[in-house]
Amino acid sequence: MSGIHFEEARGPDGIRLYAIGDVHGCRDHLAEMHRLIHAEIIRDKPADWRIIHLGDYVDRGPDSRGVIDFLIGAMQADDRVLALAGNHDVGFLEFLAEPDPYGLFARYGGLETAHSYGVEIDLADADRFRESCAALAEAVPPAHVAFLRGLGFSATFGDFFFCHAGVRPGTSLDRQDPQDLIWIRDVFLNHSGLFEKVVVHGHTPVLAPEVLANRINVDSAAFQSGRLTALAIDGAQKRLFAVKG
């Protein structure tokens, strides 16, 4: 069987990697995770490092606006902080462009996102819905829209491939459809074969991080469980850890 097995997978020489799972509006969890990671970096003094966020910064949790503000600041302060797109982040952009009362944003946590911008989306009345959507579009800073539009869909370091949801088996990693990278589930989750690289992802909440031969899932549903999970990779060493709200 070709491909990379988790046990043999290595990060790039001289670069410590941190991959952080779905944040979903939990700004305090994200800030604490960064505090912990930076404390490790200061203590251990790795030659280089990257912090990779796996998407879904908005919806469901209480402070999506604060999460985006935090990430913009972190990425401006150091370009070794990376952020990938999740389906909820793309859904937020789509809602701002074309509000849909039956779409992902309105049905799965977007009302909490709007609330973090000081706007209550009214789904009960068509006129009030249009008015509240216009208010939300006005309330979202241009820098937030630019941040969301600028999110990449994947990153590769060493023997690891990072994305939000997963990959389509049988398609090479450099030819993956962005829609699959933010949306795929069963065909990826049920695939037992090895990939070209070990896939590190979120998107599908799990009670405990999943570590399989071909993938690692670090989505611990922070908005619900109170735990935000990360994977650290340093050469051949891999470890999972979490912060709790």
Side-chain angles (χ1 to χ4, degrees), residues 78-179:
D78 198 310
D79 61 9
R80 291 173 290 187
V81 178
L82 311 177
L84 303 178
N87 59 313
H88 283 262
D89 311 311
V90 174
F92 185 20
L93 268 181
E94 292 173 345
F95 186 86
L96 291 173
E98 286 190 48
D100 179 0
Y102 305 105
L104 172 70
F105 184 84
R107 295 176 61 196
Y108 296 101
L111 302 189
E112 288 84 352
T113 296
H115 183 75
S116 74
Y117 288 94
V119 176
E120 304 297 330
I121 300 293
D122 191 332
L123 298 173
D125 178 87
D127 289 335
R128 290 197 295 271
F129 175 72
R130 285 191 293 271
E131 291 171 1
S132 57
C133 291
L136 177 61
E138 181 70 21
V140 176
H144 287 208
V145 175
F147 166 80
L148 293 167
R149 286 177 177 164
L151 296 173
F153 288 91
S154 66
T156 301
F157 290 94
D159 294 329
F160 296 88
F161 182 87
F162 302 86
C163 62
H164 176 62
V167 301
R168 184 164 294 277
T171 300
S172 63
L173 295 180
D174 60 358
R175 296 179 63 85
Q176 292 289 322
D177 186 332
Q179 284 294 105

Side-chain angles (χ1 to χ4, degrees), residues 35-238:
R35 186 199 66 77
L36 182 62
I37 288 172
H38 283 292
E40 287 193 0
I41 291 170
I42 292 169
R43 180 193 69 202
D44 299 338
K45 298 180 175 61
D48 201 357
W49 53 269
R50 298 291 186 279
I51 299 174
I52 306 159
H53 302 84
L54 299 177
D56 277 5
Y57 312 115
V58 302
D59 298 350
R60 294 175 168 155
D63 194 7
S64 293
R65 177 174 187 152
V67 168
I68 295 179
D69 274 333
F70 183 93
L71 288 172
I72 290 173
M75 293 168 70
Q76 288 176 342
D78 198 310
D79 61 9
R80 291 173 290 187
V81 178
L82 311 177
L84 303 178
N87 59 313
H88 283 262
D89 311 311
V90 174
F92 185 20
L93 268 181
E94 292 173 345
F95 186 86
L96 291 173
E98 286 190 48
D100 179 0
Y102 305 105
L104 172 70
F105 184 84
R107 295 176 61 196
Y108 296 101
L111 302 189
E112 288 84 352
T113 296
H115 183 75
S116 74
Y117 288 94
V119 176
E120 304 297 330
I121 300 293
D122 191 332
L123 298 173
D125 178 87
D127 289 335
R128 290 197 295 271
F129 175 72
R130 285 191 293 271
E131 291 171 1
S132 57
C133 291
L136 177 61
E138 181 70 21
V140 176
H144 287 208
V145 175
F147 166 80
L148 293 167
R149 286 177 177 164
L151 296 173
F153 288 91
S154 66
T156 301
F157 290 94
D159 294 329
F160 296 88
F161 182 87
F162 302 86
C163 62
H164 176 62
V167 301
R168 184 164 294 277
T171 300
S172 63
L173 295 180
D174 60 358
R175 296 179 63 85
Q176 292 289 322
D177 186 332
Q179 284 294 105
D180 283 336
L181 293 173
I182 63 172
W183 275 107
I184 202 166
R185 274 209 170 99
D186 289 351
V187 69
F188 165 66
L189 299 175
N190 295 333
H191 181 72
S192 60
L194 299 181
F195 298 110
E196 300 161 57
K197 296 179 183 289
V198 175
V199 179
V200 182
H201 67 97
H203 183 57
T204 300
V206 286
L207 293 176
E210 290 182 315
V211 179
L212 303 177
N214 59 1
R215 64 179 180 85
I216 305 104
N217 181 0
V218 291
D219 180 7
S220 52
F223 72 97
Q224 190 173 45
S225 69
R227 296 189 314 277
L228 179 63
T229 298
L231 169 70
I233 302 166
D234 199 343
Q237 297 181 341
K238 309 99 170 175

